[in-house]
Amino acid sequence: MLNIAVLISGSGTNLQALIEAEKEGKLRSGAIRLVISDRPEAYGLIRAAENGIPAATVDRKAFSDPEEFDLALEEQLRNHHIDLVVLAGFLSILGKELVRGYDGRMINIHPSLIPAFCGEGYYGLKVHRAALEKGVKVTGATVHYVNEIADDGRIIMQKPVEVREDDTPESLQRRVMKEAEWILLPKAVEEVCMTLMNRGTGPNPEKKGGV
Ligand code: GRF
C-alpha cells in the first residue's frame, strides 16, 4: 500500500470523497496517512480528525520566505514516508525543488476541463464564473500531474458536466464537485497508485515495514 498525503486549504470535500472511497474499499493500492493544511482554519482538518487521520498545519502566513514554507512541508511528507501527494483544493503555489522531488508522485484536481479556465488566478468560484461568462455548454473537472506551471502537468483523467441555463457560479461549482470531482479524484488516485506500484517506484524505500 502506498502512503498518501492530501494537501488542503479549505472545506475538504474532495478529501472527504477520498476518505469515503477508502472506507468503501475503492482505494486498494494506497492509504491516506496524512492531511496537511496551509490554513489553520480549514474545515478539512476537522474531517481528518473525525476520521483519525494524522494532520498538520503548515501555515502559509507564518512563512515570509516561500522556500522555508516548502522545506517545512517537505519535512512533514518525509516524516510520514509519503509516496503520493494529492493537492485537493490546495491554494499555495509550491516551489520548483519540492515539485521536482515528487515528479510523477504529485497530482492535483482542477474544477474545469483543462486547458479551459486554468492557470494562475483560476481557482475556486473564479473558474466557474469564467465558464459562465464565456457561455460554455460543458465544463467539468480534471486530475493532472503537477509540474512547475500551474495546471500544466500531464492530464490523468477528466469528467464533463453540462452547464445549465440557470446556473450561478455557486450552483455550477456544487454540481461540478458532485458530478465530477468527488467521483474522479478517488479513481485517479487509485490508478496513479497502481501505476507507481507497477513501476516499482513505491512504496518509498525508506518506509519501515511496508509490504
Ligand atoms: C475544488 O473545486 C477543487 O477542484 C479546487 O478547489 C475546490 C476545493 O474544494 N481546486 P474542497 O476543499 O475539496 O471542498
Side-chain angles (χ1 to χ4, degrees), residues 4 6 32-36 45 48-49 51-56 76 80:
I4 300 168
V6 182
I32 306 169
R33 304 289 189 200
L34 177 66
V35 169
I36 302 179
L45 290 169
N51 290 279
I53 302 168
Q76 288 288 343
H80 291 79

Side-chain angles (χ1 to χ4, degrees), residues 10-15 88-90 108-111 124 128 173 177 181:
S11 161
T13 64
N14 279 290
L15 165 64
F90 188 70
N108 178 49
I109 184 153
H110 183 75
H128 305 290
Q173 179 184 50
M177 283 177 169
E181 297 186 52

Side-chain angles (χ1 to χ4, degrees), residues 29 48 73 123:
S29 312
L73 224 148
Y123 57 87

Side-chain angles (χ1 to χ4, degrees), residues 46-188:
I46 294 172
R47 296 179 194 273
E50 284 171 352
N51 290 279
I53 302 168
T57 296
V58 181
D59 188 353
R60 185 65 191 85
K61 288 203 184 98
F63 297 84
S64 53
D65 179 350
E67 278 178 29
E68 295 294 326
F69 171 71
D70 283 357
L71 288 173
L73 224 148
E74 201 169 9
E75 191 185 348
Q76 288 288 343
L77 298 174
R78 229 187 359 263
N79 291 349
H80 291 79
H81 307 287
I82 295 302
D83 302 300
L84 176 65
V85 179
V86 178
L87 308 184
F90 188 70
L91 296 175
S92 291
I93 302 294
L94 299 173
K96 287 190 173 61
E97 290 309 310
L98 179 53
V99 168
R100 282 185 193 145
Y102 283 85
D103 184 33
R105 298 189 297 133
M106 189 182 282
I107 66 174
N108 178 49
I109 184 153
H110 183 75
S112 79
L113 295 176
I114 292 177
F117 316 113
C118 70
E120 216 147 321
Y122 282 99
Y123 57 87
L125 278 176
K126 291 185 179 180
V127 177
H128 305 290
R129 196 168 290 123
L132 289 173
E133 279 164 12
K134 188 70 188 165
V136 296
K137 305 303 175 198
V138 176
T139 182
T142 303
V143 179
H144 61 92
Y145 287 102
V146 174
N147 66 14
E148 294 138 45
I149 304 165
D151 304 327
D152 177 64
R154 184 162 62 82
I155 292 173
I156 300 164
M157 272 184 203
Q158 295 188 299
K159 195 167 186 344
V161 171
E162 254 182 68
V163 179
R164 295 184 185 153
E165 286 298 317
D166 59 354
D167 263 323
T168 62
E170 291 76 13
S171 68
L172 185 56
Q173 179 184 50
R174 190 80 196 156
R175 223 174 44 259
V176 168
M177 283 177 169
K178 197 157 171 266
E179 295 178 14
E181 297 186 52
W182 303 341
I183 298 165
L184 205 58
L185 190 58
K187 277 192 186 158

